[in-house]
Amino acid sequence: MSASTPCAATRFKALTRRDRLDDVLRGLSAAAAAGLTPVKVNAVLMRGVNDDEAADLLEFALAAGYELRFIEQMPLDPQHGWDRSTMVTADEIRADILRRHTLTAEPGRGSAPAETFLVDGGPQRVGIIASVTAPFCANCDRVRLTADGQVRDCLFARTESDLRTPLRAGATDDEVAARWLIAMRGKRAGHGINDPSFLQPPRPMSAIGG
């Protein structure tokens, strides 16, 4: 299914509750025209919803010159209703793509969240972020600063460190840096999604920031 077909527009509206697929496509084109390359597009497949689109989405990205990233669905929904059984795994995504294309794993992933593959020998590539089934916590060097000034040392952290209040009170750069360092020292070894004791963070992804 092409991203420009009526079926694609219908599915986009059902997923986002907004009839704005054309706006998104124009935005991607504008980013590419402005030289913001590679333009990376994230996609989450959900079982029974859009799990039939892995290869189609990839072919759309390849044709447009974008770099697609598939992300396993994570427990960051506002309803706190995430169900692992409905998650489309990285292995399933690869298997679906391999029905039409070859994938060659690229070496040297380092701390990057995505495992990248050359498609049909390259040079174009696709990435798969297996946050749930193959966590990369041991190599993660990511940190997030939310729009309301909170430092999160992990996407799934249940606590945050406030930088907004000291900044507004006139804290110096060194004082802010010291607070940030303390926040990082509390970073856990892993997100714990696969542990029975895992608790979903209070904030959904839309409030944390992408």
Side-chain angles (χ1 to χ4, degrees), residues 174-197:
D174 287 343
E175 289 170 337
V176 172
R179 285 176 175 269
W180 199 304
L181 182 60
I182 291 171
M184 293 304 99
R185 285 174 175 166
K187 185 175 177 66
R188 299 174 60 190
H191 55 47
I193 290 177
N194 298 306
D195 190 288
S197 65

Side-chain angles (χ1 to χ4, degrees), residues 28-173:
L28 293 172
S29 296
L36 302 177
T37 55
V39 175
K40 295 181 180 178
V41 180
N42 291 339
V44 177
L45 300 182
M46 293 172 284
R47 199 173 304 285
V49 178
N50 64 340
D51 55 344
D52 58 333
E53 289 192 318
D56 289 338
L57 287 169
L58 175 58
E59 286 163 6
F60 156 73
L62 294 174
Y66 306 143
E67 196 164 313
L68 187 63
R69 290 284 192 273
F70 288 105
I71 307 174
E72 288 183 335
Q73 187 183 27
M74 297 179 285
L76 290 167
D77 57 303
Q79 299 83 10
H80 286 211
W82 180 80
D83 183 347
R84 188 188 181 105
S85 67
T86 67
M87 181 190 72
V88 181
T89 68
D91 286 345
E92 291 175 292
I93 294 168
R94 278 192 294 268
D96 196 4
I97 294 172
L98 286 170
R99 293 187 179 97
R100 299 190 200 172
H101 302 277
T102 63
L103 294 176
T104 305
E106 291 192 293
R109 173 179 175 178
S111 62
E115 182 180 7
T116 57
F117 302 85
L118 295 177
V119 182
D120 299 329
Q124 289 178 287
R125 57 175 54 85
V126 63
I128 301 177
I129 301 177
S131 304
V132 178
T133 60
F136 44 89
C137 300
N139 294 317
C140 178
D141 60 0
R142 302 302 171 100
V143 61
R144 288 174 186 254
L145 179 63
T146 67
D148 56 357
Q150 308 299 309
V151 174
R152 298 179 63 87
D153 59 27
C154 175
L155 191 58
F156 299 95
R158 293 184 57 80
T159 60
E160 300 174 335
S161 300
D162 181 21
L163 292 187
R164 179 178 59 182
T165 299
L167 276 169
R168 288 183 173 178
T172 66
D173 288 349

